Amino acid sequence: MMRSFHTINMAVIIIITDFSATAQNALRYASAFSEAGSHIELLLVNISTLPVSYSGDGVAMAAISDALEDRIEKLELAVTDVSGVFPAERMRHRAIIGKFIPTLQEVIEEENAVLVVMGTPAAYGDIWSWDTDTLSALTSLTIPVMTIPAGVTFKKIEHIAFASIPANFKRPTPIDSIKRLLNYTGAVLHVITVIPPQQDEKQALEAGAALHDQLADTNTRYHTIYESHIVQAIGQFVEAHNIDLLVVRPRKQGVWYNLFHKSYAKELAQLNLIPVLALQDEWNIT
């Protein structure tokens, strides 16, 4: 049984919507994922930008006001759609006008949010077609971002994979965050270390040993893969081991940053059936 990963104050999870079927699917997933957390509150957010032709006169202001009212009605309908899954009294919604990333970051700080959930605009294998805002959210926000592929429905998370890759060996792993996620889901953790031919094997194995010590009190299994195509190797592992959630560490350089900026598209197809959690620094959800 899943337990709350927030024990004192409400943990706010933001779900981004553009009212598409993909976004509504992400809301359903987030609602089911959060249902067992008695201290979780869901905030459905729609962010729209001002048109380039905006003049600021009375007519334009009235048009924007009408548009906001329409979006609020759509937000209310979206919330009603999942009211049978997640308690309605712990769901809120906001319609905001502004630039996507700066506005979303402001909402995160105002709400002290712990997670952002987004539907992917297309499959991971079609990442070349994703819009810039979605890609930027994965690497620039200060809290974790979970992406839900179209058509993926929630099922109990029993197996979580954490991708340990060479570019991140010198970067501290957010161990406490991973432990909180494991505590909430009750899942088994699979640590995947992919070692390409050019990588210092000793460094990779030492990093793996350090993770082993830090995760000693968890139900964790360790896997070392010798492969030059890192993303492809992880995708194959995810598929072969029926992984329910993949945790990655995006950074300003390296595999996952490049991945989320439209490289590796062909290698991502095997990740189309599971959510991916982009975990930045320590996940402060207690």
Side-chain angles (χ1 to χ4, degrees):
M1 179 178 178
M2 295 197 301
R3 290 158 286 181
S4 173
F5 54 64
H6 190 278
T7 57
I8 301 175
N9 299 316
M10 282 291 180
V12 177
I13 295 178
I14 295 173
I15 303 96
I16 301 298
T17 185
D18 58 1
F19 308 113
S20 65
T22 300
Q24 192 63 16
N25 181 64
L27 174 59
R28 294 190 192 102
Y29 187 100
S31 299
F33 173 79
S34 307
E35 185 272 333
S38 60
H39 293 83
I40 295 177
E41 183 177 58
L42 299 185
L43 175 62
L44 187 59
V45 175
N46 170 258
I47 301 173
S48 56
T49 57
L50 285 174
V52 176
S53 59
Y54 174 69
S55 61
D57 60 23
V59 174
M61 291 290 289
I64 288 173
S65 178
D66 289 343
L68 279 175
E69 287 184 11
D70 178 64
R71 291 174 184 271
I72 289 172
E73 289 180 3
K74 289 180 178 178
L75 285 168
E76 291 172 348
L77 288 173
V79 168
T80 300
D81 181 59
V82 296
S83 59
V85 179
F86 191 85
E89 64 271 17
R90 286 194 278 122
M91 295 188 69
R92 294 185 289 121
H93 55 76
R94 293 179 63 178
I96 310 169
I97 294 176
K99 293 183 178 179
F100 186 80
I101 294 297
T103 301
L104 178 53
Q105 185 60 47
E106 287 179 8
V107 175
I108 288 169
E109 294 169 4
E110 289 171 7
E111 299 284 350
N112 196 25
V114 300
L115 175 67
V116 172
V117 178
M118 309 174 70
T120 62
Y124 296 119
D126 296 326
I127 200 169
W128 55 269
S129 69
W130 290 25
D131 64 81
T132 302
D133 286 338
T134 304
L135 294 170
S136 296
L138 291 166
T139 54
S140 63
L141 295 178
T142 55
I143 63 173
V145 178
M146 182 185 291
T147 55
I148 313 298
V152 171
T153 57
F154 179 80
K155 66 174 183 176
K156 180 176 171 56
I157 297 176
E158 299 180 336
H159 294 274
I160 296 173
F162 172 66
S164 176
I165 60 177
N168 283 334
F169 285 161
K170 294 182 179 180
R171 188 180 181 198
T173 300
I175 297 297
D176 288 343
S177 297
I178 292 174
K179 287 182 177 180
R180 292 185 185 107
L181 180 61
L182 295 177
N183 182 59
Y184 179 66
T185 60
V188 175
L189 177 66
H190 298 261
V191 174
I192 316 165
T193 301
V194 182
I195 305 177
Q198 69 274 18
Q199 175 64 37
D200 183 338
E201 182 178 4
K202 181 180 178 182
Q203 179 192 27
L205 295 177
E206 286 176 350
L211 273 178
H212 193 287
D213 291 340
Q214 293 173 299
L215 294 166
D217 57 344
T218 65
N219 186 3
T220 301
R221 302 170 188 174
Y222 299 86
H223 312 265
T224 301
I225 303 173
Y226 295 88
E227 174 60 63
S228 57
H229 300 288
I230 295 175
V231 177
Q232 180 178 336
I234 293 171
Q236 290 173 344
F237 180 94
V238 162
E239 189 173 52
H241 291 78
N242 297 315
I243 300 300
D244 302 307
L245 174 67
L246 174 65
V247 178
V248 302
R249 299 287 318 279
R251 56 199 294 274
K252 292 303 180 184
Q253 297 86 28
V255 171
W256 294 116
Y257 182 78
N258 291 330
L259 181 158
F260 290 132
H261 282 73
K262 307 185 182 183
S263 301
Y264 301 99
K266 291 182 180 179
E267 300 180 7
L268 288 170
Q270 288 159 306
L271 303 181
N272 287 339
L273 299 180
I274 66 167
V276 171
L277 178 64
L279 190 62
Q280 296 290 349
D281 295 320
E282 207 53 75
W283 188 359
N284 185 20
I285 56 176
T286 57

